[in-house]
Amino acid sequence: MAAKILPVVKLAAKVTIAGGALYVACDSGLLGGSEQGSEALEKAKAAIPPAIQEWMKYFGLETQLPAMPKVEFSPIQSWNSGVRWTISSLSEAPTKATDYSSQGLQYLKDLTK
């Protein structure tokens, strides 16, 4: 009986963890727009180092962590560049498909000579 219940319990635990992670991501704004993502990143940058220090004290580790590196990263600009690249690729797709099919046809003609 326990052998039949164990896989169900494991699946339920995995689904619960995944659902909780998804809820936290939605609630913190990670799955929203780029501005919400930037705000969530700033909140995480402010909250993570104190939490790590607290846990290190709790476990008796007194080592000093290196300072957080300053990264000049703008999610808004990265999002926009990704959107621009995708749209330009989609707009060039018919031309590229024509070019590649012409090259493939020419290659096949050269093989049959």
Side-chain angles (χ1 to χ4, degrees), residues 2-83:
K4 292 182 180 181
I5 294 176
L6 185 62
V8 174
V9 172
K10 286 172 60 176
L11 177 66
K14 290 177 185 179
V15 168
T16 302
I17 291 170
L22 184 63
Y23 174 77
V24 169
C26 288
D27 191 44
S28 64
L30 289 175
L31 301 178
S34 58
E35 292 176 3
Q36 288 178 330
S38 294
E39 291 173 9
L41 179 64
E42 293 303 319
K43 287 179 187 176
K45 282 182 182 177
I48 289 175
I52 291 174
Q53 290 293 334
E54 181 180 335
W55 278 100
M56 287 176 65
K57 288 178 186 174
Y58 179 77
F59 287 112
L61 302 172
E62 294 298 329
T63 60
Q64 183 66 22
L65 290 177
M68 291 276 293
K70 299 292 181 193
V71 178
E72 296 298 324
F73 174 72
S74 172
I76 296 170
Q77 292 299 326
S78 297
W79 171 261
N80 290 338
S81 66
V83 170

Side-chain angles (χ1 to χ4, degrees), residues 91-100:
S91 68
E92 294 173 0
T95 307
K96 294 283 186 183
T98 304
D99 292 342
Y100 292 146

